[in-house]
C-alpha cells in the first residue's frame, strides 16, 4: 500500500516537472497530456484507496516513507497517514483538479504560457496531496508552504499585469503573517511534546490539558489554548478568515481555472482541513474553540455582504467563497468537525462549478467580466446556464441540493452549541443564508436573464463553450446535486470518520442532532420547518424582484444609502488600513533606515568615515616621509635616545 500512496502523491509532481522543464520539447498538447495523465493516475488510485478504507475496512496506514534527519532524539521524516479523512480529501482534491486540468485546455488555449500553466496546476495538486496525506507536522508545514508558493505563482501568472503582481505579492505577505503564527504553534508543540508525529502529539495531548505558561509575566495561558490559537491563526491566513482575508478577492487576477482550484479544492481548504485534523488538540481548549467560532461567524456574514456590491462575476463568486469558508470554520468552532468537512466537500464541487461556469461566460463574452454588461445569456449558452443554476441553488442551500444538507447541518449544530459566542454565531450564519441567496441570484439574473446589455460585436459572436469546457461543468454539476443526500448519513451521523476526528461528549452537537435524524428525506422535511430555507427563498425572491422587476430599487438604495454602499465597496476599509499603516508604515520605516542608518551611519560613518580616516592617516604619514637623509638620521638618534632611557629607567 505504501507504494500506492507514493504514486498518488508523486504522479502530479512528475507531470509538473515534465511540463515545466520539457515544455518546449513536448509541446502544448504534450504538456496538458502529461499533467492530466498524472492527475488521472492519482484520482484513480484515490478511488481505490477510498474503497479500501471506507468500504473494505482496510486499517489506517500510519508510517514513515523517508527519514530525513534524527537530531537530539527527534525524528524528522516524510510519512503518510491514510484514514477516512485523508481518503475523502484525496478524492476531492484529485477529482476537482482533474476537472480543472481538462477545462484549462479550452480556457488557456491561446495563452503563450500554456505549458507553464499546466506545470503549475499539477504542482499545486502535488502540494495539496502532500499536505493532506501528512502524518507529521514537518510534512504538514512543507505542504502548507508549497501550496502558498504555487498560489503566488498562479495568482501572478500573467506577470505583465501590474494588478496581478500586486495581488500575488499581497497573498504572499498576508499568508506570511498567518504562517509565522503557524510555525510558532508547531514550535510550541515540539518544545512540549518533543515530537512532530501526529500520533505522539495527539496521544499525549491529555497530559498537557491543564498545563499553563506565562507569556507575559503574571498572565498565565493554557498551553493547549496557546498552541491551538497559533495554529488557527495560520488557518486564518490560508482559509482567508477576517482579518487575514484580504488576499483572496484579489486572487481573481489569476486565470479562472486557478480561481476554481484555489477556492474549491486546494489552498483555502487547507486551513479547514488542518483544524479538523487537529481536533484532538482543539477539544482541550474551549477558549480556542470560541475564538474559532466567532471569527468564522464574522467572516460568514460580513464577507457575504460584500458580494452584494461586486460587479465582477469572479469577485462575486470569490466573496461567496469567503462567506462559505466562514461557515466551515463556524462548524469547527462548534466541534461539529464532520459538518465542516462535509461542507468543505460539497462546497468543492459547486464552487468549482460556479467558477468554471463563470469562466465559460467570460470566454463567450470575449473576457468581459462586468455583469452589468451581460444579460440574456440563457438562450445562447444553455449548458452553462443549467449548470450555473445548479451551482447557484447548491450554494444558497436550496432543499435537496448538496449545499442544503451541509449548510443546514452547520446552522443546526451551532444552534445546539453552548460555547461562548454561539448565540452570536447562530444569528450570523442565519442572516448569512439570506445574504448568500441575494448576491448569488443577483449575479445569476444579471448574467443569464433580462435584457442583453453587451455590445453588438460581442452579441454576434455569443455561443456555447466547447465540449472541453462544458463536460467538466456537467461532471461537477452531478455531485453538486446528489452528493449531499448520499453522504449526510454516514459522514455526519454514522461512523464514517472513525477515529480521524476527536470530539468530547460535552461538545458533541452532532450526536444531539443525530437523535432526530431519520435519513436524507427526513432531513429535508425537517429543514423545511427551519428559518434557513425560508431565508434562502426570501433572498432568491428579493433578488428577482429587485434586479428583474424593479431595477430602480437598487439604484435608489445606492443613492439613498451612499455611506453604507461606499463602506461595502471599500470592503470595510481593510485594504486602505493595510495600505496606510502596514504597507505605508513599512515604507516609512524603510525610508528612515535608508536615510539614517544606510546613508548617515553605514555610508557616512562606516564606509565614507573609513575612507576619510585612511585619507587623513595617509596624509599624516606622507608628511613624515620628506626624503631628506638628515631627517631620517635625526629620527634614528631620537629613537635611540628614547630606547636607552627606557632600558636604564626600567
Amino acid at each position: 500500500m505504501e507504494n500506492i500512496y507514493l504514486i498518488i502523491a508523486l504522479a502530479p509532481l512528475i507531470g509538473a516537472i515534465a511540463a515545466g522543464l520539457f515544455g518546449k520539447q513536448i509541446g502544448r498538447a504534450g504538456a496538458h497530456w502529461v499533467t492530466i495523465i498524472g492527475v488521472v493516475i492519482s484520482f484513480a488510485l484515490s478511488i481505490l484507496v477510498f474503497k479500501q478504507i471506507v468500504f473494505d475496512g482496510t486499517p489506517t496506514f500510519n508510517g514513515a516513507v523517508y527519514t530525513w534527519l534524527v537530531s537530539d532524539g527527534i525524528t524528522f521524516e516524510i510519512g503518510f497517514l491514510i484514514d477516512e479523512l485523508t481518503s475523502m480529501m484525496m478524492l476531492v482534491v484529485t477529482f476537482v483538479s482533474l476537472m480543472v486540468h481538462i477545462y484549462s485546455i479550452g480556457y488557456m488555449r491561446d495563452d503563450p504560457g500554456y505549458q507553464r500553466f499546466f506545470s503549475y496546476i499539477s504542482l499545486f495538486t502535488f502540494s495539496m496531496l502532500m499536505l493532506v496525506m501528512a502524518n507529521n507536522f514537518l510534512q504538514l508545514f512543507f505542504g502548507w508552504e508549497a501550496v502558498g508558493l504555487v498560489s503566488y505563482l498562479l495568482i501572478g501568472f500573467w506577470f505583465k499585469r501590474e494588478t496581478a503582481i500586486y495581488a500575488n505579492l499581497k497573498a504572499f505577505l498576508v499568508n506570511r503573517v498567518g504562517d509565522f503564527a503557524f510555525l510558532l504553534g508547531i514550535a510550541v508543540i515540539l518544545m512540549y511534546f518533543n515530537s512532530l508525529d501526529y500520533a505522539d502529539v495527539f496521544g499525549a495531548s491529555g497530559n498537557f490539558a491543564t498545563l499553563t505558561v506565562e507569556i507575559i509575566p503574571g498572565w498565565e495561558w493554557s498551553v493547549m489554548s496557546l498552541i491551538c490559537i497559533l495554529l488557527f491563526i495560520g488557518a486564518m491566513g490560508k482559509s482567508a478568515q477576517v482579518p487575514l482575508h484580504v488576499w483572496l478577492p484579489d486572487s481573481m487576477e489569476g486565470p479562472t481555472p486557478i480561481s476554481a482550484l484555489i477556492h474549491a479544492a486546494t489552498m483555502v481548504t487547507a486551513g479547514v482541513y488542518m483544524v479538523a485534523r487537529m481536533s484532538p488538540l482543539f477539544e482541550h481548549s474551549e477558549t480556542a474553540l470560541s475564538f474559532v467560532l466567532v471569527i468564522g461567524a464574522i467572516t460568514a456574514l460580513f464577507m457575504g455582504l460584500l458580494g452584494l456590491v461586486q460587479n465582477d462575476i469572479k469577485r462575486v463568486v470569490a466573496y461567496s467563497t469567503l462567506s462559505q469558508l466562514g461557515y466551515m470554520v463556524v462548524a469547527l468552532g462548534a466541534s461539529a468537525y464532520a459538518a465542516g468537512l462535509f461542507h468543505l466537500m460539497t462546497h468543492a464541487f459547486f464552487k468549482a462549478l460556479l467558477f468554471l461556469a463563470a469562466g465559460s461566460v467570460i470566454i463567450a463574452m470575449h473576457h468581459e467580466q462586468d455583469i452589468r454588461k451581460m444579460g440574456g445569456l440563457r438562450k445562447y449558452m444553455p449548458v452553462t446556464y443549467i449548470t450555473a443554476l445548479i451551482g447557484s441553488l447548491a450554494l444558497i442551500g436550496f432543499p435537496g441540493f448538496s449545499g442544503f444538507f451541509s449548510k443546514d447541518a452547520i446552522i443546526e449544530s451551532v444552534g445546539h452549541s453552548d460555547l461562548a459566542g454561539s448565540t452570536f454565531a447562530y444569528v450570523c450564519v442565519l442572516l448569512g443564508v439570506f445574504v448568500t441567496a441575494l448576491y448569488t441570484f443577483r449575479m445569476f439574473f444579471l448574467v443569464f436573464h433580462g435584457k442583453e446589455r453587451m455590445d453588438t460585436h460581442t452579441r454576434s459572436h455569443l455561443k456555447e463553450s466547447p465540449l472541453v469546457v462544458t463536460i467538466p461543468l456537467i461532471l461537477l454539476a452531478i455531485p453538486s446535486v446528489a452528493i449531499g443526500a448520499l453522504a449526510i448519513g454516514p459522514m455526519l451521523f454514522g461512523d464514517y470518520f472513525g477515529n480521524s476526528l476527536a470530539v468530547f461528549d460535552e461538545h458533541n452537537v452532532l450526536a444531539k442532532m443525530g437523535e432526530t435524524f431519520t435519513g436524507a428525506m427526513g432531513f429535508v422535511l425537517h429543514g423545511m420547518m427551519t428559518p434557513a430555507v425560508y431565508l434562502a427563498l426570501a433572498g432568491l425572491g428579493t433578488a428577482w424582484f429587485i434586479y428583474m422587476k424593479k431595477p430602480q430599487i437598487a439604484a435608489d438604495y445606492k443613492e439613498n444609502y451612499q455611506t453604507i454602499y461606499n463602506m461595502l465597496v471599500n470592503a470595510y476599509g481593510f485594504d486602505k488600513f493595510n495600505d496606510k499603516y502596514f504597507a505605508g508604515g513599512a515604507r516609512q520605516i524603510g525610508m528612515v533606515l535608508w536615510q539614517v542608518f544606510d546613508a548617515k551611519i553605514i555610508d557616512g560613518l562606516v564606509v565614507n568615515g573609513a575612507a576619510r580616516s585612511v585619507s587623513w592617516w595617509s596624509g599624516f604619514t606622507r608628511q613624515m616621509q620628506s626624503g631628506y637623509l638628515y631627517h631620517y638620521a635625526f629620527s634614528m638618534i631620537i629613537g635611540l635616545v628614547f630606547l636607552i632611557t627606557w632600558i636604564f629607567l626600567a
Side-chain angles (χ1 to χ4, degrees):
M1 290 303 295
E2 181 180 317
N3 292 332
I4 292 178
Y5 306 142
L6 275 172
I7 294 170
I8 291 172
L10 295 180
L13 176 62
I14 294 170
I17 293 172
L21 298 183
F22 307 104
K24 290 184 179 180
Q25 289 78 7
I26 63 179
R28 296 165 73 88
H32 70 237
W33 275 115
V34 72
T35 52
I36 288 174
I37 288 171
V39 177
V40 165
I41 292 171
S42 290
F43 175 56
L45 293 179
S46 294
I47 294 175
L48 175 62
V49 171
F50 185 83
K51 172 184 175 295
Q52 291 174 337
I53 295 289
V54 176
F55 295 105
D56 298 344
T58 301
T60 295
F61 175 85
N62 182 16
V65 175
Y66 170 71
T67 299
W68 174 51
L69 178 69
V70 178
S71 175
D72 197 23
I74 301 170
T75 303
F76 300 88
E77 61 190 17
I78 302 300
F80 295 140
L81 171 59
I82 309 298
D83 57 9
E84 294 84 357
L85 172 55
T86 308
S87 63
M88 184 270 286
M89 290 297 299
M90 288 161 56
L91 203 58
V92 170
V93 170
T94 54
F95 175 71
V96 173
S97 177
L98 178 59
M99 295 300 101
V100 170
H101 275 72
I102 296 170
Y103 177 94
S104 298
I105 296 174
Y107 193 89
M108 302 297 292
R109 179 179 55 195
D110 301 321
D111 196 284
Y114 193 83
Q115 292 97 316
R116 178 166 57 94
F117 180 83
F118 276 91
S119 175
Y120 285 173
I121 59 174
S122 194
L123 185 61
F124 212 171
T125 307
F126 159 74
S127 302
M128 190 64 185
L129 286 172
M130 288 295 287
L131 189 155
V132 301
M133 295 170 70
N135 75 339
N136 63 84
F137 287 93
L138 174 68
Q139 186 176 328
L140 173 69
F141 189 71
F142 165 78
W144 193 266
E145 292 302 310
V147 294
L149 171 63
V150 182
S151 69
Y152 169 83
L153 297 173
L154 286 168
I155 294 169
F157 181 79
W158 288 319
F159 54 84
K160 293 184 179 180
R161 297 182 182 178
E162 288 189 12
T163 52
I165 296 303
Y166 176 81
N168 74 347
L169 182 61
K170 186 177 183 180
F172 187 82
L173 292 176
V174 171
N175 273 278
R176 295 289 67 72
V177 176
D179 291 355
F180 178 68
F182 186 66
L183 185 58
L184 285 178
I186 294 175
V188 176
I189 288 172
L190 182 60
M191 181 173 70
Y192 281 96
F193 291 85
N194 203 39
S195 174
L196 291 175
D197 186 84
Y198 288 169
D200 294 341
V201 173
F202 296 163
S205 60
N207 300 333
F208 298 91
T210 58
L211 188 66
T212 60
V213 60
E214 284 192 11
I215 303 174
I216 300 172
W219 187 18
E220 290 192 346
W221 268 68
S222 161
V223 168
M224 297 306 297
S225 293
L226 176 64
I227 290 171
C228 292
I229 289 174
L230 287 172
L231 293 178
F232 178 66
I233 293 173
M236 288 168 64
K238 280 290 182 288
S239 292
Q241 298 296 291
V242 174
L244 301 182
H245 67 284
V246 292
W247 67 271
L248 192 59
D250 287 346
S251 70
M252 298 302 98
E253 291 297 329
T256 300
I258 290 316
S259 303
L261 200 55
I262 289 176
H263 287 241
T266 51
M267 182 151 165
V268 298
T269 61
V272 176
Y273 163 80
M274 183 274 293
V275 174
R277 176 61 81 188
M278 300 301 137
S279 58
L281 304 181
F282 277 82
E283 284 298 289
H284 288 290
S285 174
E286 290 195 355
T287 301
L289 289 173
S290 293
F291 180 64
V292 173
L293 186 71
V294 171
I295 292 294
I298 293 171
T299 305
L301 176 59
F302 292 96
M303 293 301 104
L305 288 170
L306 300 182
L308 296 171
V309 297
Q310 303 302 314
N311 295 313
D312 184 313
I313 186 171
K314 287 172 63 176
R315 279 185 171 264
V316 177
V317 186
Y319 277 108
S320 82
T321 299
L322 281 171
S323 180
Q324 298 309 304
L325 287 168
Y327 277 90
M328 298 175 208
V329 170
V330 164
L332 300 176
S335 289
Y337 305 102
L341 292 167
F342 184 35
H343 196 52
L344 182 156
M345 179 186 70
T346 61
H347 176 265
F349 298 124
F350 63 71
K351 185 51 57 70
L353 173 59
L354 283 172
F355 264 115
L356 298 188
S360 179
V361 169
I362 293 168
I363 293 171
M365 293 291 298
H366 298 286
H367 293 274
E368 175 60 65
Q369 297 182 195
D370 193 333
I371 59 178
R372 295 170 297 184
K373 299 178 181 179
M374 299 179 187
L377 293 182
R378 176 181 58 172
K379 64 182 180 182
Y380 300 104
M381 309 180 71
V383 177
T384 301
Y385 170 76
I386 293 171
T387 53
L389 176 61
I390 290 171
S392 298
L393 291 172
L395 174 58
I396 72 170
F398 193 85
F401 287 78
S402 62
F404 165 80
F405 293 98
S406 55
K407 186 183 285 187
D408 271 38
I410 291 173
I411 294 170
E412 191 168 345
S413 65
V414 175
H416 281 85
S417 175
D418 55 5
L419 287 174
S422 58
T423 302
F424 169 77
Y426 183 71
V427 172
C428 286
V429 294
L430 263 184
L431 293 176
V433 173
F434 175 82
V435 173
T436 301
L438 182 55
Y439 68 67
T440 301
F441 275 89
R442 168 184 176 265
M443 174 188 69
F444 183 81
F445 289 137
L446 289 177
V447 172
F448 293 104
H449 289 268
K451 64 180 182 179
E452 299 169 1
R453 298 178 296 277
M454 69 287 295
D455 58 60
T456 305
H457 174 73
T458 302
R459 185 185 296 111
S460 65
H461 290 85
L462 283 174
K463 62 180 181 179
E464 183 60 88
S465 298
L467 287 176
V468 73
V469 170
T470 55
I471 287 176
L473 295 181
I474 295 169
L475 293 177
L476 285 165
I478 295 170
S480 296
V481 175
I483 197 69
L486 294 174
I488 184 171
M491 287 190 72
L492 294 193
F493 308 112
D495 194 33
Y496 170 81
F497 285 111
N499 296 320
S500 301
L501 305 174
V503 183
F504 291 171
D505 290 339
E506 59 269 26
H507 298 158
N508 201 342
V509 292
L510 291 178
K512 300 175 185 176
M513 293 168 56
E515 295 172 359
T516 58
F517 179 73
T518 58
M521 184 54 67
F523 193 84
V524 172
L525 295 175
H526 173 74
M528 296 294 289
M529 296 183 288
T530 62
V533 169
Y534 299 100
L535 285 168
L537 294 175
L540 192 159
T542 303
W544 173 82
F545 182 75
I546 293 177
Y547 296 101
M548 290 292 97
K549 299 298 291 183
K550 300 287 185 181
Q552 188 58 37
I553 293 177
D556 291 342
Y557 268 78
K558 178 181 176 180
E559 183 67 29
N560 296 331
Y561 299 95
Q562 194 71 36
T563 303
I564 297 175
Y565 177 79
N566 289 336
M567 179 182 68
L568 295 178
V569 167
N570 292 322
Y572 307 117
F574 277 102
D575 284 326
K576 287 186 176 180
F577 180 86
N578 291 337
D579 286 343
K580 182 176 181 180
Y581 293 102
F582 289 111
R587 285 193 294 268
Q588 290 298 320
I589 292 171
M591 189 70 70
V592 170
L593 291 175
W594 167 54
Q595 292 178 341
V596 176
F597 289 92
D598 190 35
K600 294 183 179 179
I601 296 178
I602 296 176
D603 287 344
L605 183 61
V606 179
V607 178
N608 295 334
R612 284 193 294 267
S613 299
V614 170
S615 177
W616 176 84
W617 179 250
S618 62
F620 173 75
T621 55
R622 185 170 60 247
Q623 296 298 322
M624 297 175 65
Q625 303 294 324
S626 66
Y628 292 109
L629 183 61
Y630 62 85
H631 283 172
Y632 300 142
F634 180 73
S635 299
M636 292 173 63
I637 292 170
I638 294 297
L640 183 60
V641 169
F642 275 111
L643 178 62
I644 293 171
T645 302
W646 178 76
I647 291 173
F648 279 102
L649 291 178

